[in-house]
């Protein structure tokens, strides 16, 4: 009986020898700009970006980089009723990122990322549901865009000038 247990245990251990863990290479888990970057946001004044920047980039301690984020918004009427009321509105938010190294005094990375969402506005009176939905969609778009930018940084050496 002991020999059977040892045999099963050895088969189990050898069968699991080729397992690779998802987070084995932790380069995708680390933000290379965390606590090293002064972030300046300009363009569209979205209140949520000022609350998400400290969560994504931390408090600037080392001052190695300056990240400039310029946000541009474009609204497109996708569907217009016969009375000219908009029944579907598409928002495009273009984020232009420019990363400058304070140590080497050069631009190390530039990226443009597009986020978009649609909303169905209500034209009869003030609609709190549509307004809170729009605010939530702005918040989700900003959060997603900043996370995409950080994921792009994981494949780039931010210490090399362009």
């Amino acid at each position: 009986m002991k020999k059977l247990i040892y045999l099963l245990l050895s088969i189990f251990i050898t069968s699991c020898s080729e397992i690779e863990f998802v987070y084995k290479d932790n380069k995708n888990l680390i933000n290379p700009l965390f606590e090293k970057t002064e972030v300046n946001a300009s363009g569209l004044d979205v209140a949520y970006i000022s609350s998400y920047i400290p969560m994504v980039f931390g408090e600037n301690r080392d001052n190695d980089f300056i990240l400039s984020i310029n946000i541009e918004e474009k609204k497109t009427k996708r569907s217009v009723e016969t009375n000219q009321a908009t029944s579907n509105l598409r928002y495009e938010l273009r984020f232009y990122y420019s990363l400058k190294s304070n140590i080497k005094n050069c631009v190390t990375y530039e990226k443009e990322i597009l986020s978009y969402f649609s909303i169905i506005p209500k034209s009869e009176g003030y609609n709190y549901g549509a307004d809170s939905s729009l605010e939530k969609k702005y918040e989700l778009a900003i959060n997603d865009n900043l996370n995409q930018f950080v994921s792009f940084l994981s494949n780039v050496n931010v210490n090399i000038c362009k």
Side-chain angles (χ1 to χ4, degrees):
M1 184 68 178
K2 267 186 167 180
K3 290 182 181 183
L4 181 63
I5 292 175
Y6 286 132
L7 178 66
L8 290 175
L9 186 62
S10 64
I11 290 173
F12 177 74
I13 290 173
T14 56
S15 68
C16 295
S17 64
E18 295 295 320
I19 293 177
E20 290 188 26
F21 294 100
V22 176
Y23 295 119
K24 178 179 144 186
D25 184 12
N26 65 355
K27 74 176 187 175
N28 291 332
L29 300 176
I30 298 173
N31 180 354
L33 302 180
F34 193 74
E35 294 185 346
K36 299 178 184 178
T37 309
E38 175 188 338
V39 181
N40 301 318
S42 63
L44 178 68
D45 184 29
V46 182
Y48 304 109
I49 196 155
S50 60
S51 64
Y52 280 108
I53 285 173
M55 289 190 320
V56 175
F57 297 106
E59 184 181 325
N60 183 14
R61 294 182 183 173
D62 297 339
N63 205 26
D64 291 346
F65 300 98
I66 296 175
L67 177 64
S68 300
I69 305 171
N70 186 21
I71 307 167
E72 294 180 2
E73 178 185 51
K74 179 182 175 185
K75 296 178 189 176
T76 306
K77 296 177 182 177
R78 297 185 67 196
S79 178
V80 180
E81 300 293 328
T82 56
N83 64 355
Q84 297 302 310
T86 303
S87 62
N88 195 340
L89 192 59
R90 177 184 166 110
Y91 287 80
E92 288 185 5
L93 299 175
R94 289 192 184 273
F95 289 69
Y96 298 96
Y97 295 94
S98 178
L99 182 64
K100 181 181 177 186
S101 171
N102 283 336
I103 297 167
K104 296 184 178 182
N105 199 22
C106 64
V107 174
T108 60
Y109 187 67
E110 291 181 319
K111 185 73 176 171
E112 175 186 342
I113 302 175
L114 174 67
S115 293
Y116 56 89
F117 57 89
S118 295
I119 192 161
I120 300 171
K122 304 293 182 192
S123 61
E124 297 177 12
Y126 192 77
N127 189 323
Y128 293 103
D131 291 341
S132 64
S133 174
L134 179 62
E135 290 175 10
K136 187 66 177 173
K137 288 186 178 192
Y138 268 117
E139 185 177 354
L140 290 172
I142 289 168
N143 187 18
D144 181 54
N145 201 294
L146 288 172
N147 288 331
Q148 281 184 41
F149 177 71
V150 170
S151 71
F152 285 129
L153 287 176
S154 66
N155 298 324
V156 175
N157 186 351
V158 294
N159 296 312
I160 297 175
C161 295
K162 278 181 90 175

